[in-house]
Amino acid sequence: MKKLGTLAAATLLLAGAAQADPLKVGMITTLSGGGAGLGIDVRDGFMLAVKQSGNSDIEVIVEDDQRKPDIAVQLADKMIQSDKVDVLTGIIWSNLAMAVVPAVTQQGKFYLSPNAGPSALAGKGCHENYFNVAWQNDNLHEAAGAYAKGAGFANSFILAPNYPAGKDALTGYKRFYGGDLAGEVYTKLGQSDYAAEIAQIRASGADSVFFFLPGGMGIAFMKQYAQSGVDIPLVGPAFSFDQGILQAVGEAAMGVKNTSQWNKDIDNPTNAAFVESFQAEYGRLPSLYASQGFDTANLLLSAMGKASVSDAGAFRAALKEADFASTRGDFEFGSNHHPIQDIYVREVIKEGDVFTNKIVGPALENHSDAYAGECSM
Amino acid sequence: MSLILLIEQVLNGLQFGVMLFLMAAGLTLVFGVMGLINLAHGSLYMVGAFACAAVATATGSFWLGLAASLAAAAAAGALVEIVVIRRLYDRDHLDQVLATFALILVFSEATRWAFGSFPLYLNVPPSLSGAVTLPGGIEYPAYRLAIIVVGFAVAAGLFALIAKTRLGIQIRAGEADREMIGALGVDIARLYTIVFALGAGLAGLAGALVGTIQSVQVGMGEPVLILAFVVIVIGGIGSIKGALIGALLVGLTDTLGRFLLPIVFATFMDASSATSVGSALASMAIYVLMAGVLVARPSGLYGVRA
């Protein structure tokens, strides 16, 4: 099925592409297994932008990394050596990005990240051919910390899975929060039962709970939290409140404040058109991942309009300008090729039968990241 | 640390344990009676959860969903036994592992094809939602209490089935000597299908009960499967009693380990390194328990075979 879909997409794109050497994009993303929803959203957002551009000089090869670093590395090698792609993109998970990105950029190819933003690639490990179109990993957590501080919370209980991105999350939150901690807990990655942690939260006397539990972990945590009778306010990054997850959580998420660089009600024409056309094309509301895929493709298309990828210097400069209409409104790259952007506080609401988010206000404005200074670019 | 918190954590451990028991019971029966390693047991757990979510959403009744989860998982189990598993009894364990691993992939992709890649909605029925106050002022989620009750009820039912019924006698005889009960005129193919469907149904029930408070998504069965294997290794392969004791031990060790180890380390380390060392050790605790049990009793607590 997947192969067929890819083939069909490639054929569609190729149809009418009589011009010589189109720009080839290799998209490595997660299309099967537990985290598939994220990869599918990034792919669909990306392909929507390509389709809307009507640009027949771009060819996209999509492959599934199954969320496994070794497979992602094999796919990158294959795409560079036999498919001869010019640009790679698509990776969702930071551990996969760490395995693939340095090798790709060292071979002179471009990598545009639609999601993962590990700190190692933002600081000392930054590279002129690596552009992150989403965020540096710490960003949304920093915004959550800033929100908690502004809301007057002074005794947070914080928890995250015990892996690098989880530690970055708690570090990011603490960087902007500044209050006391009622407790700090690292859970097992992939844990699905949080009864023990919720009991600790109940006993801790906290005035707020910050949690970073992406995907199924967050669904489980929120459902169990709602059942537990504990009513301390929750704060989290958008990853546990995206459009794909909210429907599975249901009422338990209502009213929870979360931080995101994007939401469907950000008021600009690009975003309005994106939300409407995404729904028309795929029959569901877009998530932040879809918006990141869409922006990534539009960034690439804007650079294609200015320079040929065979002239790497000019193409890089064209990417750096970020001269495209982002769904987020204002968007520019900092010195380390990571976004400088506004991050908002959202609240989970219900529109008809569908759970979604609305923006409450800005959390951080024109926010860069803590690692840009270490990048020697 | 208050006594109330400790009691609440013990209840959490019990609840986790009885869920593991529902998974492990089927696994240990199938291994004990048929000598088969079934990696696809986690997929049947997933089938149960998806069936419950789909039926509960369509009809609005959680209880119909729960019934559907039992029926769907048992039916899927019977079908798989007749079509695939039956050919594997005489093969060695490596072939069984390969074939049942393939079944995991088939089940996962078929589920994705039917239900899509996004997690499904399934929530606690209104009659069991919220928390109840237990004697001593402990607030505890009603649904988790119900899981503990259901788990022990199923355990009691299984013991009665094995000890008192004709089917139970055949199952026990099948564990002792497969060829002999065939020679005595028991329809062994039918017996195997029934045992497999029974185990599958229990896994499906566990999937539906747990899916309600966790997330219903493709791939949800595999992490539980690993724990279920730990349980049957600790309890002794083929023993229902061992599965129950092993499941409760694993549930309590995991829950109390996650809770107590960071506190223990905090007595002589600074808070943040105690948290990370404590949680790292807590995730190993059940494997340490398994190693300890195997050193003392190489065939598990109630195992008969070496």
Side-chain angles (χ1 to χ4, degrees):
Chain A
M1 265 321 280
K2 217 153 37 209
K3 274 244 169 77
L4 252 181
T6 316
L7 256 180
T11 322
L12 267 179
L13 287 163
L14 279 172
Q19 292 92 328
D21 36 274
L23 182 132
K24 262 195 172 182
V25 181
M27 175 179 283
I28 302 169
T29 195
T30 306
L31 302 172
S32 64
L38 287 71
I40 290 170
D41 268 1
V42 163
R43 179 196 64 190
D44 289 352
F46 192 96
M47 294 316 248
L48 180 67
V50 170
K51 187 178 164 194
Q52 285 177 354
S53 73
N55 189 332
S56 54
D57 289 340
I58 181 168
E59 179 190 342
V60 187
I61 302 165
V62 184
E63 294 274 7
D64 176 19
D65 60 32
Q66 302 167 34
R67 201 176 174 169
K68 292 179 182 144
D70 49 329
I71 296 196
V73 169
Q74 285 168 22
L75 287 173
D77 287 345
K78 185 195 121 232
M79 284 177 172
I80 292 173
Q81 283 158 21
S82 56
D83 296 327
K84 309 265 185 251
V85 299
D86 309 293
V87 176
L88 284 102
T89 183
I91 294 177
I92 301 294
W93 312 98
S94 290
N95 53 336
L96 274 68
M98 287 307 299
V100 169
V101 172
V104 167
T105 49
Q106 271 159 30
Q107 292 177 65
K109 305 295 176 191
F110 288 93
Y111 185 86
L112 308 183
S113 177
N115 199 61
S119 49
L121 297 178
K124 288 199 183 71
C126 66
H127 192 279
E128 55 178 8
N129 281 359
Y130 170 74
F131 290 83
N132 187 308
V133 197
W135 22 253
Q136 198 280 315
N137 278 356
D138 300 11
N139 286 165
L140 302 195
H141 314 297
E142 291 170 341
Y147 162 75
K149 187 177 184 183
F153 294 133
N155 196 22
S156 286
F157 190 102
I158 60 178
L159 79 160
N162 196 5
Y163 81 123
K167 294 190 171 163
D168 285 354
L170 297 192
T171 313
Y173 182 79
K174 286 189 273 187
R175 191 178 289 139
F176 279 73
Y177 158 63
D180 293 329
L181 293 179
E184 179 174 0
V185 166
Y186 287 110
T187 59
K188 201 158 49 183
L189 187 61
Q191 183 174 319
S192 51
D193 196 295
Y194 293 92
E197 288 75 14
I198 291 169
Q200 283 170 266
I201 292 171
R202 190 202 306 274
S204 70
D207 65 0
S208 53
V209 176
F210 168 77
F211 71 103
F212 165 60
L213 295 166
M217 292 184 276
I219 300 178
F221 176 78
M222 268 185 294
K223 281 160 86 172
Q224 293 164 25
Y225 191 79
Q227 289 299 318
S228 69
V230 182
D231 54 2
I232 303 165
L234 292 172
V235 183
F239 311 119
S240 300
F241 301 90
D242 78 66
Q243 209 56 48
I245 282 179
L246 279 179
Q247 314 318 316
V249 180
E251 292 286 342
M254 279 296 284
V256 177
K257 302 286 196 297
N258 63 94
T259 49
S260 177
Q261 85 288 3
W262 176 85
N263 196 45
K264 73 180 172 61
D265 62 357
I266 292 181
D267 191 15
N268 66 59
T270 313
N271 196 38
F274 163 67
V275 173
E276 197 189 324
S277 55
F278 191 93
Q279 262 182 296
E281 182 83 19
Y282 303 108
R284 63 177 197 271
L285 280 173
S287 66
L288 81 158
Y289 309 110
S291 81
Q292 290 161 193
F294 188 81
D295 279 354
T296 305
N298 278 328
L299 168 70
L300 185 63
L301 291 159
S302 77
M304 279 173 71
K306 293 187 173 184
S308 162
V309 74
S310 51
D311 180 357
F315 195 74
R316 187 180 307 122
L319 283 171
K320 177 86 204 266
E321 279 175 42
D323 185 15
F324 70 103
S326 167
T327 55
R328 290 166 245 185
D330 293 338
F331 179 99
E332 59 174 308
F333 283 119
S335 59
N336 59 347
H337 294 177
H338 281 62
I340 297 176
Q341 60 189 344
D342 295 345
I343 301 176
Y344 305 91
V345 180
R346 316 187 297 184
E347 182 179 348
V348 179
I349 57 162
K350 198 170 186 182
E351 277 179 359
D353 288 339
V354 181
F355 292 94
T356 186
N357 288 284
K358 80 166 180 357
I359 287 189
V360 180
L364 292 169
E365 287 175 335
N366 284 323
H367 185 55
S368 175
D369 59 83
Y371 307 96
E374 294 168 26
C375 170
S376 57
M377 204 149 53
Chain B
M1 176 183 51
S2 67
L3 186 64
I4 288 185
L5 181 57
L6 188 66
I7 295 174
E8 188 178 348
Q9 298 291 27
V10 170
L11 281 175
N12 287 332
L14 278 180
Q15 181 260 317
F16 187 39
V18 299
M19 284 328 296
L20 286 176
F21 169 70
L22 291 184
M23 274 297 276
L27 208 54
T28 203
L29 268 182
V30 167
F31 194 94
V33 177
M34 312 168 197
L36 175 94
I37 297 180
N38 180 21
L39 291 187
H41 204 64
S43 299
L44 298 163
Y45 172 89
M46 176 181 74
V47 166
F50 273 85
C52 183
V55 171
T57 307
T59 64
S61 162
F62 173 78
W63 307 106
L64 281 180
L66 208 56
S69 73
L70 260 172
L79 186 71
V80 161
E81 200 275 340
I82 290 167
V83 176
V84 181
I85 306 283
R86 190 166 278 190
R87 290 156 227 291
L88 297 170
Y89 295 132
D90 298 330
R91 310 287 280 269
D92 65 22
H93 286 327
L94 184 61
D95 289 355
Q96 297 173 351
V97 166
L98 274 177
T100 53
F101 183 73
L103 281 175
I104 294 182
L105 301 179
V106 171
F107 269 109
S108 292
E109 290 312 304
T111 311
R112 184 192 315 288
W113 177 73
F115 292 97
S117 294
F118 295 96
L120 258 56
Y121 173 78
L122 176 61
N123 215 338
V124 176
S127 52
L128 288 176
S129 73
V132 290
T133 309
L134 301 178
I138 302 166
E139 261 192 86
Y140 200 71
Y143 186 79
R144 286 184 190 270
L145 272 186
I147 290 183
I148 297 178
V149 173
V150 170
F152 280 115
V154 169
L158 261 184
F159 281 118
L161 176 84
I162 303 276
K164 304 271 198 257
T165 64
R166 187 160 193 87
L167 178 65
I169 295 171
Q170 290 176 351
I171 290 174
R172 278 181 290 146
E175 283 184 46
D177 194 329
R178 254 178 277 179
E179 278 106 44
M180 187 55 84
I181 65 160
L184 288 173
V186 174
D187 182 349
I188 197 132
R190 198 174 128 263
L191 176 68
Y192 282 8
T193 310
I194 290 173
V195 170
F196 201 87
L198 176 68
L202 289 179
L205 178 67
L209 286 174
V210 171
T212 306
I213 47 170
Q214 295 180 3
S215 70
V216 180
Q217 60 180 359
V218 174
M220 63 187 281
E222 278 69 55
V224 190
L225 179 75
I226 295 170
L227 291 177
F229 271 114
V230 172
V231 165
I232 66 170
V233 167
I234 288 177
I237 287 163
S239 161
I240 293 282
K241 188 171 158 198
L244 181 62
I245 305 288
L248 294 179
L249 269 179
V250 167
L252 286 170
T253 308
D254 188 64
T255 306
L256 294 180
R258 261 153 58 196
F259 166 56
L260 291 175
L261 281 174
I263 296 178
V264 170
F265 281 95
T267 55
F268 57 91
M269 292 166 86
D270 70 283
S272 91
S273 37
T275 315
S276 59
V277 174
S279 23
L281 274 181
S283 50
M284 285 185 247
I286 57 170
Y287 302 102
V288 174
L289 171 74
M290 178 172 77
V293 167
L294 287 182
V295 167
R297 302 184 69 118
S299 53
L301 293 175
Y302 294 92
V304 275
R305 275 175 267 185

